[in-house]
């Protein structure tokens, strides 16, 4: 999400500097830490997405995270919910199916899925981590703001649970098979990242309270055996990326199409990293506060105003 100015670097100090080969600096979370994961044994992971519970990205994630020794439960939308952002349903009821062991399908958004998972599936004890993805396609720049994948992670952060959003893809669109193949390297990296978080956390939280990671892995090669050029600690590029175009049909209706319209990438941002074939790891938080600097600016703007 586009909240880079408020985010302490503590989240990245737990993982990206060592992965990228840069030296960390001291930092500490500003709020009370989340409950620590159980020492030893597998992490208990709630796995969600926005492409639907049967999508290849989440199924591959389930297989890879389970093979890495974690206790993984899918709680994900019944149908494709791409682009729903942080939306939650306003319907009086939501249908939930339990089609197979360790899999729950929620007829709602990623946010609904996470809410159900935390309230019911993990009612006795919150999961150690929520992983959302891996998404089919990137969630950088303005795409992240509207992403259901990112929205699922934000829903977890709002409940005090550490979260990682995973996405696979670059801003040029390869054929679907190539993107699906690239999910393998994405999930290999995700396992390494989770291992790094756990080793750095020791008996503490996996991430600072309220802070999550938005991970974008580029498409590498065509057979799923390529390797990214590196790992970058990034921020969400402020550009919108998607540009709508409206055509008057002449009968009182308008036709809208959307295209990717890239502007020059912000230096150090997620677009720059993914475009260079690097993995972008951006910290994000679960609220809309923009930090003390912006509050000071706002205070100056309204100084002297009266109702």
């Amino acid at each position: 999400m586009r909240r880079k100015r408020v985010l302490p670097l503590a989240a990245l100090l737990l993982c990206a500097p060592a992965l990228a080969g840069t030296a960390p600096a001291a930092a500490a979370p500003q709020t009370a830490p989340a409950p620590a994961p159980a020492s030893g044994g597998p992490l208990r992971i709630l796995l969600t997405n926005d492409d639907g519970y049967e999508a290849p990205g989440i199924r591959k994630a389930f297989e890879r995270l389970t093979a890495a020794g974690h206790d993984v439960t899918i709680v994900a939308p019944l149908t494709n919910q791409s682009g729903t952002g942080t939306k939650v349903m306003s319907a009086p009821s939501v249908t939930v199916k339990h089609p197979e062991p360790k899999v729950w399908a929620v007829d709602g958004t990623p946010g609904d899925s996470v809410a159900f998972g935390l309230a019911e599936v993990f009612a006795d004890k919150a999961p150690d981590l929520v992983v959302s993805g891996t998404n089919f396609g990137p969630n950088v720049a303005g795409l992240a703001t509207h992403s259901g994948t990112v929205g699922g992670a934000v829903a977890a952060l709002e409940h005090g649970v550490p979260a990682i959003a995973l996405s696979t893809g670059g801003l040029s669109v390869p054929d679907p098979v190539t993107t699906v193949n690239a999910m393998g390297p994405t999930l290999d990296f995700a396992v390494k990242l989770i291992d790094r978080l756990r080793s750095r956390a020791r008996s503490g939280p996996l991430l600072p309270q309220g802070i999550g990671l938005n991970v974008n892995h580029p498409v590498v090669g065509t057979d799923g055996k390529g390797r990214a050029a590196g790992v970058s600690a990034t921020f969400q590029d402020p550009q919108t990326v998607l540009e709508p175009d409206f055509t008057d049909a002449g009968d009182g209706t308008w036709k809208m199409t959307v295209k990717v319209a890239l502007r020059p990438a912000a230096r150090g941002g997620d677009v720059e990293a993914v475009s260079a074939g690097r993995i972008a790891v951006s910290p994000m938080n679960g609220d809309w506060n923009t930090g003390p600097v912006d509050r000071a600016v706002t205070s100056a703007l309204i100084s002297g105003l009266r109702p």
Side-chain angles (χ1 to χ4, degrees):
M1 307 299 284
R2 192 185 309 169
R3 301 163 188 153
K4 58 182 179 294
R5 286 174 289 186
V6 311
L7 301 174
L9 291 179
L12 296 183
L13 299 178
L14 291 170
C15 55
L19 291 171
T22 58
Q30 301 301 309
T31 55
S39 59
L43 289 181
R44 297 166 66 251
I45 296 176
L46 188 164
L47 181 61
T48 194
N49 72 346
D50 72 355
D51 292 327
Y53 80 102
E54 293 184 303
I58 197 169
R59 292 299 175 143
K60 287 176 176 288
F62 180 87
E63 293 171 2
R64 186 66 182 87
L65 292 172
T66 299
H70 300 298
D71 180 9
V72 186
T73 301
I74 291 176
V75 189
L78 179 66
T79 60
N80 191 312
Q81 297 290 314
S82 295
T84 53
T86 55
K87 178 183 178 182
V88 292
M89 298 290 286
S90 58
S93 63
V94 175
T95 301
V96 179
K97 297 183 178 181
H98 191 22
E100 55 193 277
K102 309 290 285 186
V103 177
W104 299 80
V106 179
D107 191 11
T109 66
D112 294 323
S113 302
V114 171
F116 175 80
L118 297 180
E120 298 295 332
V121 182
F122 289 86
D124 294 337
K125 182 181 178 183
D128 299 311
L129 179 68
V130 168
V131 175
S132 186
T134 183
N135 185 65
F136 186 91
N139 279 309
V140 296
L143 296 173
T145 302
H146 306 291
S147 163
T149 301
V150 174
V154 168
L157 298 177
E158 291 175 340
H159 287 86
V161 179
I164 299 173
L166 290 175
S167 301
T168 303
L171 289 166
S172 60
V173 183
D175 68 274
V177 173
T178 299
T179 300
V180 170
N181 286 342
M183 291 174 176
T186 301
L187 295 166
D188 289 342
F189 175 76
V191 169
K192 293 178 183 178
L193 175 60
I194 292 169
D195 286 347
R196 175 61 56 81
L197 293 178
R198 190 169 195 183
S199 66
R200 293 293 181 91
R202 297 185 176 89
S203 59
L206 290 175
L207 289 164
Q209 178 73 6
I211 303 301
L213 299 176
N214 182 24
V215 178
N216 278 275
H217 195 290
V219 171
V220 287
T222 59
D223 57 3
K225 297 180 180 179
R227 178 176 294 182
V231 185
S232 295
T234 58
F235 58 86
Q236 184 184 342
D237 193 302
Q239 62 179 294
T240 58
V241 177
L242 295 180
E243 185 174 284
D245 182 63
F246 296 91
T247 303
D248 186 354
D251 58 357
T253 62
W254 291 73
K255 181 180 179 181
M256 183 181 76
T257 55
V258 179
K259 63 180 180 180
V260 174
L262 279 176
R263 296 167 181 80
R267 186 172 183 180
D270 49 14
V271 172
E272 180 186 62
V274 172
S275 296
R278 297 177 65 84
I279 303 166
V281 181
S282 301
M284 59 183 179
N285 63 6
D287 61 52
W288 297 104
N289 292 309
T290 58
V293 173
D294 294 301
R295 288 198 295 273
V297 170
T298 303
S299 179
L301 286 173
I302 65 174
S303 177
L305 287 178
R306 296 291 181 268

